[in-house]
Short mmCIF file of all heavy atoms in Angstrom, two decimals:
data_model
loop_
_atom_site.label_atom_id
_atom_site.label_comp_id
_atom_site.label_asym_id
_atom_site.label_seq_id
_atom_site.Cartn_x
_atom_site.Cartn_y
_atom_site.Cartn_z
N ILE N 6 2.47 -3.93 13.07
CA ILE N 6 3.69 -4.70 13.27
C ILE N 6 4.46 -4.04 14.40
O ILE N 6 4.76 -2.86 14.34
CB ILE N 6 4.54 -4.74 11.98
CG1 ILE N 6 3.76 -5.41 10.84
CG2 ILE N 6 5.86 -5.45 12.24
CD1 ILE N 6 4.46 -5.37 9.51
N GLU N 7 4.75 -4.82 15.42
CA GLU N 7 5.51 -4.28 16.55
C GLU N 7 6.90 -3.87 16.08
O GLU N 7 7.59 -4.62 15.40
CB GLU N 7 5.62 -5.32 17.66
CG GLU N 7 4.31 -5.63 18.36
CD GLU N 7 3.76 -4.44 19.12
OE1 GLU N 7 4.55 -3.70 19.74
OE2 GLU N 7 2.53 -4.24 19.09
N SER N 8 7.29 -2.64 16.44
CA SER N 8 8.60 -2.14 16.07
C SER N 8 8.95 -0.97 16.97
O SER N 8 8.06 -0.27 17.47
CB SER N 8 8.60 -1.68 14.61
OG SER N 8 9.84 -1.13 14.26
N LYS N 9 10.24 -0.74 17.15
CA LYS N 9 10.69 0.41 17.93
C LYS N 9 10.50 1.70 17.17
O LYS N 9 10.47 2.78 17.74
CB LYS N 9 12.17 0.25 18.30
CG LYS N 9 12.44 -0.89 19.23
CD LYS N 9 13.91 -1.05 19.49
CE LYS N 9 14.14 -2.26 20.38
NZ LYS N 9 15.55 -2.53 20.60
N LYS N 10 10.38 1.60 15.84
CA LYS N 10 10.21 2.78 14.99
C LYS N 10 8.88 2.69 14.26
O LYS N 10 8.30 1.62 14.13
CB LYS N 10 11.35 2.86 13.97
CG LYS N 10 12.70 3.06 14.62
CD LYS N 10 13.76 3.26 13.58
CE LYS N 10 15.09 3.49 14.30
NZ LYS N 10 16.13 3.91 13.37
N GLY N 11 8.43 3.83 13.76
CA GLY N 11 7.20 3.85 12.99
C GLY N 11 7.27 4.95 11.95
O GLY N 11 8.11 5.85 12.03
N ALA N 12 6.40 4.86 10.99
CA ALA N 12 6.37 5.86 9.92
C ALA N 12 5.49 7.04 10.33
O ALA N 12 4.52 6.89 11.07
CB ALA N 12 5.83 5.23 8.64
N LEU N 13 5.85 8.20 9.84
CA LEU N 13 5.08 9.41 10.08
C LEU N 13 4.53 9.92 8.76
O LEU N 13 5.21 9.89 7.75
CB LEU N 13 5.96 10.49 10.71
CG LEU N 13 6.58 10.18 12.06
CD1 LEU N 13 7.53 11.30 12.47
CD2 LEU N 13 5.51 9.98 13.11
N GLY N 14 3.29 10.40 8.79
CA GLY N 14 2.69 10.95 7.59
C GLY N 14 1.40 11.64 7.92
O GLY N 14 0.93 11.63 9.06
N HIS N 15 0.78 12.25 6.89
CA HIS N 15 -0.48 12.95 7.08
C HIS N 15 -1.58 11.96 7.47
O HIS N 15 -2.38 12.22 8.36
CB HIS N 15 -0.87 13.71 5.81
CG HIS N 15 -2.10 14.54 5.94
ND1 HIS N 15 -2.11 15.70 6.68
CD2 HIS N 15 -3.34 14.37 5.45
CE1 HIS N 15 -3.32 16.23 6.63
NE2 HIS N 15 -4.09 15.43 5.89
N SER N 16 -1.60 10.80 6.81
CA SER N 16 -2.54 9.75 7.18
C SER N 16 -1.85 8.86 8.21
O SER N 16 -1.05 9.34 8.99
CB SER N 16 -2.95 8.95 5.93
OG SER N 16 -1.83 8.23 5.43
N ASP N 17 -2.10 7.56 8.16
CA ASP N 17 -1.39 6.66 9.08
C ASP N 17 -0.04 6.22 8.53
O ASP N 17 0.66 5.45 9.15
CB ASP N 17 -2.26 5.45 9.42
CG ASP N 17 -2.52 4.55 8.23
OD1 ASP N 17 -2.08 4.86 7.11
OD2 ASP N 17 -3.19 3.51 8.42
N ALA N 18 0.32 6.71 7.35
CA ALA N 18 1.64 6.49 6.73
C ALA N 18 1.91 5.03 6.39
O ALA N 18 3.04 4.57 6.46
CB ALA N 18 2.76 7.06 7.59
#
Side-chain angles (χ1 to χ4, degrees):
I6 299 174
E7 291 295 321
S8 177
K9 294 177 183 176
K10 296 185 178 189
L13 299 174
H15 184 72
S16 67
D17 66 358

